[in-house]
Amino acid sequence: MSRKSNKPGAGAWAWVQAVALLVLFALASAATAQQLVGNVFGYVTDEQGGRLPGVTVTLTGIGAPRSQTTDARGEYRFVSLDPGDYTLTYELQGFTKVTKPNVQVSVNQNTNTTAALKISSVEATVTVKGEPSLLDTRKVENGAVVDQEQLKSIPTARDPWVILQTVPGVQMDRVNIGGNESGQQSNYSARGSQADQNAWNIDGVTITDMSALGGSPMYYDFDSFEEIHASTGGSDVSAAAPGVQLNLVTKRGTNDIHGSARVFIADGDWQWNNLPTEAEEQGVLGGNRVNEVQDYGVEVGGPLIKDRLWLWGAYGRNQVNLFNVNGDPDNTTLKDVNGKLNAQLFDSTSLAGTFTDGNKIKAGRGVSPLRPPPAAWNQDGPSRVWKGELSQVFSSSVFGTVSYSHVNNQFSLIPAGGTDYNQLFIDPNGVFTGSYLQYHTDRPQEQVNATGSWFFSTGAMGHELKYGFTYRSTGVDSGTAWPGAGNYGDLADFAPANPSVAVLTRQAVTNVGLKYYSGFLSDTLTLGDLTINAGARYDYQRGQLNAVTIPGNPVFGDVLPTINFGGSEPPFSWSDVVPRVGLTYALGQDKRTLLRASYSQYADQLGSGTISFANAGALSAEFFPWNDANHDNVIDRSEVDLSQLIYFYGLDPAHPTSTVSPNVIDPNLKAGKTHEIVAGIEREVLPEFVVGVSYTWRRYSGAIYPHRTGLTADDYEVAGFLDGTLADGSTFHQPYYQLKPGVDLPAGVTLSNRPDWHTLYNGVDLNFQKRLTNKWMVRGAVTWQDWKQKGGLDSCYDPTSNRGGNALVWPGTAIPVATGTTCALDDIAAAPAGAYGNKTEVFLNSRWQFNVGGLYQLPWDFAVAANVYGREGYPYLQYVRLDPGDGFGTRDNIIGALGDHRYKDVFDVDLRLEKVIQVRPLQITLSADFFNLLNSGTILQRNARTPATATANDGTVTEISSSTYNNIFELQSPRLVRFGARISF
């Protein structure tokens, strides 16, 4: 590359280059995604500290060598680097040549380096130590970077969700012991954001599942990762949503042939027993006990043409076989194939292609005490991601990248009891007997990404202008149906007013298309010890429903007939501009202390569930009294009283053939907004050992709020009082509510922004990290956090302190603490882990948590590593399920406030012993991992459905029973040993 010109007109030429690049990207309909690369920035001085222009700086390591000449400020930069170790050399005639090895580059991080050249009359080379990259002066961010050493050496269950558990502020819905939870995705949230605002990126491709919003569309081969980066906030304008931005980077081929093969096995015979006496008395057999976990695979990469063409590939298979608390099997097979081709077409042009193919085959998904094996799912379906990317260096000051990618995600959930099984019913204890519903889905995605950087100076100030653009298209084509004729009996949810209910359903067919357009522009200004990041991003999001045909109920076709839905125009669009600004200031002559601060706004991401809320083809049902005369638990037409409608959802019973949904989306619906302030200080206390403290404040408002159309809290009245005694011996006495007599019962639900309501998050993190030097490394964090929701009288339409479920409001979205007949809120906020399945009693809210992982290398190539995790117990939301008889069905009345009762605190200690055997050119690593070393048996979930006495205003007393109240649903799994072997070259 040529040295930057200082002649008049050079700035104008740079502008021409930048405009040309902008036009190129615009024509490409480019998209913004998290760039899973790192950068190297630096400057060169003479012995007196004066900046040296014209120095040739060469970077070698991963991929082809790169060379650049320092500019008039003595600065150089290498951008869009794959993570790993590099070597820098500095050359200028008349000066000593300097070589700096071990310059480390991490995902989404900036490595800052300097070099001082001495005048020399003879040719000489000096090697100096590479500088640490843990202090990044160019950005303000919460999160963590987990490098290759940590991924390989710290004992974990070897999946991305377990790595997320180590990130400050991230709260998980499960405790993974040796891989026992790796067969199913974890739900998680961070820093006051809901789980549906998380984002997933792999090799620069945004792959977030926009139907299971915030989730991953696939599972992963853990040994394919070079590095994992998780961001939970800060001033990065490339991050769209306020949730956790997870960035996964797979390995690549280099000029050296490298590879590995591994096997890790944990057997059911290698685990202990940790059942408490209470569990044994209830007949609990274990909590997600391991039958066998096998993890094996191979990966290899190298040059096809040295310095020009490289190839890497991997195959992995993970078998997770478990037993749940009832001893029922839960078996999962995960298969993954990965490939990456890198090419250096010209000195300034590079090309990359990636491919990922994953499949999950699961028998027993969702099995729990309430869903025995016949009511579980069998899952199958592949997910594929491929991407082509072109990067261009236009000059030493202008860089750009453009890519196209495609995601194909499809799977089916088939009830284990069979799709023709027609004897489904819910027994008086809420246990599903028979098959569960079936589901199939196809969720394709396409996106075009482009980003660019332009470096220039204005006087003494340096600038990095970054810009990016977005186009992303996603869709969901899915169908849902209950087995057999689609009808089932419910003996639990509507008792005692209606002890036996027939549920008549019409299957759901959904076809949604979504479009996303985004752009960002930011400038990183450097002036001495001060760095300023200032920018903004624009997001435009919309979706629409496409035409579908919904078959009618085969037995009750007159009640639920076939309908043909012609589709609809986009009901609304979201258009948001959000600013981001961050400051860092380096203190002291050694520049080893950084002050950080930032202010950011985020707009929520739009999922298909919001668009399909008003889908006339949604799953719909009507509930009627049922007299099972022949006691065969099968819904016969003669046994159903069609004259008495008890409850309904998904349709207007008065117009069952209508192609217009009774549900309504507010045309003025806006994206929820998060405001964030981050401030902190970091200090390098020892070489490559950084300690930091940061404070985060967040305010979130505008949550999407489903509520019965036209109703307010004034339409409700106290229907009576609930009295009872909880498992801990405390008593309760609180009102329950009903719709006032004479108020019309609306057919549908309206989706709007929740008025007069917001959440506040305050959190403090203590972070520390040391890279592997002098035989040891460590990374850890301690977090204290307070997350509360607050609301005024207009914040809810129903005063019931409702846990969710049948009231059409899922847990965590409308949980008021009702006093009198008002809806005033001032309580903790809790993110629900799931509306169904085996995590229904998990609500994410711990006020403190910590995680520390580290390694120490012993003599004779032995090593010991450990990971220690702890958090406060999550809220135990005990509730009384009651139908007050107003036509809205049952409500789950939470007893007291959300934070009144908690499960016990959770701790987990994992230990690894490792031995490396050198058999040149091979390196053999043998390991033994001990998970849950203390054999803790903490209870993680109980049946929270509480018995009570309901006393109505007219004096009628109803006993509400729950024979399995407080029974254990889930325990922390016992101590487990996993043996492993890895061969590397």
Side-chain angles (χ1 to χ4, degrees):
M1 299 180 186
S2 61
R3 179 179 173 183
K4 181 179 176 181
S5 172
N6 293 311
K7 296 179 181 180
W13 173 237
W15 273 108
V16 171
Q17 292 176 311
V19 170
L21 189 61
L22 284 167
V23 172
L24 171 65
F25 289 166
L27 292 174
S29 300
T32 304
Q34 289 282 308
Q35 293 299 299
L36 305 190
V37 292
N39 307 308
V40 171
F41 295 94
Y43 59 87
V44 183
T45 68
D46 58 23
E47 294 177 84
Q48 287 73 41
R51 299 289 183 94
L52 283 176
V55 178
T56 300
V57 184
T58 303
L59 178 140
T60 57
I62 299 174
R66 300 193 191 185
S67 184
Q68 194 175 114
T69 303
T70 56
D71 60 20
R73 289 161 46 91
E75 296 180 348
Y76 63 91
R77 63 205 58 93
F78 297 97
V79 301
S80 298
L81 301 175
D82 289 308
D85 290 345
Y86 291 84
T87 296
L88 290 170
T89 59
Y90 306 84
E91 297 177 275
L92 182 63
Q93 187 174 2
F95 289 81
T96 301
K97 178 181 177 181
V98 172
T99 300
K100 182 179 291 187
N102 301 320
V103 176
Q104 295 173 313
V105 173
S106 294
V107 171
N108 209 32
Q109 304 293 307
N110 300 298
T111 300
N112 298 290
T113 66
T114 62
L117 305 188
K118 297 182 179 180
I119 296 176
S120 175
S121 58
V122 296
E123 185 175 335
T125 300
V126 176
T127 300
V128 299
K129 186 178 183 296
E131 296 176 56
S133 59
L134 293 177
L135 289 177
D136 186 352
T137 62
R138 302 179 71 89
K139 64 193 310 179
V140 180
E141 182 182 69
N142 285 326
V145 176
V146 186
D147 60 23
Q148 184 64 206
E149 290 292 345
Q150 297 175 64
L151 293 175
K152 288 193 306 183
S153 302
I154 304 300
T156 71
R158 294 174 48 81
D159 69 40
W161 294 273
V162 173
I163 299 302
L164 278 168
Q165 181 177 275
T166 72
V167 177
V170 177
Q171 303 183 71
M172 311 298 295
D173 71 341
R174 62 199 65 199
V175 182
N176 195 327
I177 305 298
N180 73 312
E181 290 281 8
S182 295
Q184 190 63 40
Q185 289 192 42
S186 301
N187 288 283
Y188 58 95
S189 68
R191 306 196 187 282
S193 63
Q194 290 289 333
D196 62 3
Q197 296 306 308
N198 298 324
W200 287 74
N201 305 274
I202 183 168
D203 286 330
V205 179
T206 301
I207 60 172
T208 310
D209 190 335
M210 306 310 287
S211 182
L213 190 59
S216 168
M218 61 194 310
Y219 295 76
Y220 305 91
D221 172 16
F222 194 73
D223 267 24
S224 293
F225 297 139
E226 176 68 28
E227 200 164 89
I228 295 177
H229 168 254
S231 172
T232 59
S235 58
D236 185 0
V237 292
S238 67
V244 181
Q245 309 291 309
L246 186 67
N247 304 308
L248 308 171
V249 180
T250 59
K251 297 175 181 177
R252 56 157 290 171
T254 68
N255 280 333
D256 298 319
I257 298 177
H258 62 81
S260 66
R262 94 282 180 170
V263 58
F264 294 91
I265 297 178
D267 192 88
D269 293 335
W270 306 340
Q271 66 186 331
W272 277 250
N273 178 44
N274 64 350
L275 287 180
T277 302
E278 177 190 0
E280 294 177 344
E281 292 174 349
Q282 293 177 13
V284 172
L285 300 178
N288 289 342
R289 288 183 63 88
V290 167
N291 181 12
E292 186 174 36
V293 175
Q294 300 177 358
D295 178 354
Y296 56 85
V298 61
E299 56 90 17
V300 63
L304 298 179
I305 303 174
K306 188 175 181 180
D307 287 343
R308 287 297 179 186
L309 189 64
W310 306 267
L311 180 65
W312 170 85
Y315 170 79
R317 187 179 188 275
N318 196 357
Q319 185 69 41
V320 183
N321 295 340
L322 312 173
F323 296 112
N324 76 346
V325 294
N326 291 345
D328 299 319
D330 181 340
N331 301 328
T332 306
T333 302
L334 306 175
K335 299 179 181 180
D336 292 277
V337 176
N338 291 277
K340 184 179 292 186
L341 181 69
N342 294 86
Q344 194 70 34
L345 302 180
F346 308 101
D347 289 344
S348 59
T349 307
S350 60
L351 182 69
T354 64
F355 175 76
T356 298
D357 183 291
N359 194 14
K360 173 181 177 180
I361 304 169
K362 186 176 182 71
R365 175 173 175 176
V367 68
S368 72
L370 297 182
R371 284 178 59 188
W377 279 315
N378 295 330
Q379 179 175 345
D380 193 4
S383 296
R384 296 184 177 94
V385 180
W386 63 267
K387 180 193 74 168
E389 180 178 271
L390 179 68
S391 297
Q392 179 69 40
V393 179
F394 291 90
S395 71
S396 62
S397 300
V398 181
F399 306 82
T401 299
V402 62
S403 69
Y404 171 81
S405 60
H406 180 83
V407 179
N408 183 28
N409 175 27
Q410 53 183 310
F411 64 91
S412 298
L413 302 175
I414 305 299
T419 57
D420 296 327
Y421 196 56
N422 197 29
Q423 294 183 345
L424 169 66
F425 73 100
I426 304 175
D427 74 13
N429 291 317
V431 178
F432 285 80
T433 300
S435 288
Y436 200 62
L437 58 80
Q438 59 178 311
Y439 177 75
H440 66 85
T441 184
D442 187 10
R443 305 171 183 179
Q445 301 186 38
E446 287 186 298
Q447 59 181 300
V448 183
N449 299 339
T451 57
S453 296
W454 174 36
F455 297 87
F456 62 96
S457 301
T458 55
M461 183 177 294
H463 300 263
E464 179 191 1
L465 196 66
K466 295 176 65 176
Y467 35 88
F469 307 90
T470 293
Y471 169 76
R472 184 181 180 204
S473 172
T474 72
V476 179
D477 186 359
S478 64
T480 307
W482 288 99
N487 308 312
Y488 64 91
D490 188 343
L491 280 64
D493 290 331
F494 292 84
N498 294 280
S500 187
V501 172
V503 183
L504 316 181
T505 73
R506 181 167 58 196
Q507 62 182 275
V509 180
T510 302
N511 193 301
V512 180
L514 299 107
K515 304 288 184 182
Y516 304 86
Y517 302 85
S518 299
F520 70 77
L521 179 66
S522 70
D523 192 7
T524 301
L525 303 92
T526 55
L527 182 62
D529 297 328
L530 177 65
T531 303
I532 303 173
N533 290 282
R537 66 172 290 122
Y538 169 75
D539 290 282
Y540 177 81
Q541 308 176 74
R542 66 175 175 84
Q544 67 180 40
L545 292 168
N546 301 318
V548 294
T549 297
I550 303 93
N553 187 290
V555 177
F556 296 86
D558 53 332
V559 178
L560 296 166
T562 298
I563 60 174
N564 294 294
F565 175 58
S568 66
E569 293 298 317
F572 62 87
S573 63
W574 288 351
S575 181
D576 298 282
V577 177
V578 292
R580 312 273 171 84
V581 59
L583 306 173
T584 65
Y585 188 81
L587 293 177
Q589 191 153 4
D590 59 1
K591 314 301 182 191
R592 298 306 187 198
T593 301
L594 289 181
L595 301 178
R596 301 182 184 273
S598 70
Y599 169 76
S600 303
Q601 286 186 19
Y602 302 89
D604 282 356
Q605 59 187 355
L606 175 64
S608 65
T610 302
I611 300 300
S612 60
F613 182 80
N615 178 23
L619 189 67
S620 54
E622 296 188 29
F623 298 65
F624 297 95
W626 173 42
N627 177 22
D628 187 17
N630 56 9
H631 304 289
D632 63 353
N633 299 323
V634 177
I635 305 295
D636 296 325
R637 189 177 180 94
S638 61
E639 298 174 340
V640 180
D641 183 357
L642 297 177
S643 67
Q644 298 185 44
L645 180 65
I646 297 172
Y647 181 63
F648 62 91
Y649 65 80
L651 80 165
D652 182 351
H655 305 282
T657 61
S658 174
T659 58
V660 177
S661 171
N663 298 332
V664 177
I665 300 177
D666 184 349
N668 297 314
L669 188 71
K670 304 297 182 185
K673 286 289 182 64
T674 298
H675 298 258
E676 176 193 76
I677 296 174
V678 177
I681 182 172
E682 285 183 299
R683 171 68 181 176
E684 187 179 7
V685 296
L686 294 172
E688 302 203 40
F689 187 13
V690 169
V691 177
V693 176
S694 65
Y695 164 74
T696 301
W697 173 90
R698 279 188 167 191
R699 186 183 190 276
Y700 172 67
S701 61
I704 292 179
Y705 175 52
H707 54 95
R708 286 288 182 178
T709 302
L711 296 183
T712 69
D714 291 336
D715 294 313
Y716 288 80
E717 65 180 6
V718 174
F721 286 84
L722 299 171
D723 294 274
T725 302
L726 299 178
D728 63 1
S730 61
T731 60
F732 61 89
H733 174 78
Q734 67 182 53
Y736 66 94
Y737 300 86
Q738 66 181 7
L739 198 65
K740 291 179 179 178
V743 176
D744 291 335
L745 188 71
V749 179
T750 296
L751 198 68
S752 64
N753 296 111
R754 190 170 187 179
D756 200 17
W757 175 93
H758 66 275
T759 65
L760 288 177
Y761 174 88
N762 289 274
V764 177
D765 299 311
L766 170 65
N767 305 283
F768 47 92
Q769 181 174 359
K770 181 187 177 297
R771 293 193 184 278
L772 181 56
T773 56
N774 299 322
K775 298 185 178 298
W776 68 284
M777 69 177 178
V778 68
R779 179 174 64 86
V782 180
T783 299
W784 173 89
Q785 51 200 349
D786 179 67
W787 182 24
K788 289 187 176 180
Q789 59 176 342
K790 299 179 181 293
L793 299 182
D794 295 328
S795 62
C796 57
Y797 76 97
D798 181 347
T800 304
S801 182
N802 190 11
R803 176 179 174 270
N806 291 333
L808 295 177
V809 180
W810 290 120
T813 61
I815 309 180
V817 180
T819 57
T821 57
T822 70
C823 286
L825 286 170
D826 187 4
D827 196 10
I828 70 167
Y836 58 83
N838 57 1
K839 302 297 177 186
T840 54
E841 304 304 331
V842 180
F843 291 81
L844 309 180
N845 183 300
S846 61
R847 290 168 294 192
W848 59 265
Q849 65 185 63
F850 67 86
N851 192 91
V852 180
L855 166 78
Y856 187 78
Q857 294 175 332
L858 301 168
W860 304 298
D861 288 328
F862 282 92
V864 59
N867 193 83
V868 182
Y869 168 76
R871 63 162 171 81
E872 182 184 33
Y874 288 147
Y876 180 24
L877 268 60
Q878 297 165 90
Y879 64 95
V880 174
R881 180 165 292 176
L882 173 68
D883 179 2
D886 58 2
F888 277 167
T890 59
R891 267 83 109 192
D892 291 345
N893 295 261
I894 294 175
I895 305 304
L898 274 66
D900 285 352
H901 305 275
R902 288 182 177 268
Y903 292 101
K904 290 185 177 180
D905 301 337
V906 175
F907 298 94
D908 179 37
V909 179
D910 303 329
L911 178 69
R912 166 173 289 188
L913 299 177
E914 183 178 278
K915 166 65 177 175
V916 177
I917 302 172
Q918 303 289 347
V919 183
R920 300 297 181 187
L922 303 179
Q923 178 176 280
I924 303 172
T925 303
L926 304 178
S927 62
D929 296 317
F930 299 83
F931 297 100
N932 191 9
L933 188 67
L934 304 180
N935 203 31
S936 302
T938 307
I939 296 170
L940 303 177
Q941 292 188 85
R942 293 180 180 271
N943 185 351
R945 185 170 169 179
T946 310
T949 298
T951 305
N953 289 336
D954 62 3
T956 302
V957 178
T958 302
E959 294 295 331
I960 303 170
S961 63
S962 180
S963 61
T964 58
Y965 163 62
N966 206 50
N967 278 8
I968 296 172
F969 272 6
E970 184 185 10
L971 286 160
Q972 186 174 352
S973 297
R975 182 188 297 124
L976 175 70
V977 180
R978 181 182 70 191
F979 294 103
R982 184 193 306 275
I983 300 175
S984 305
F985 59 92

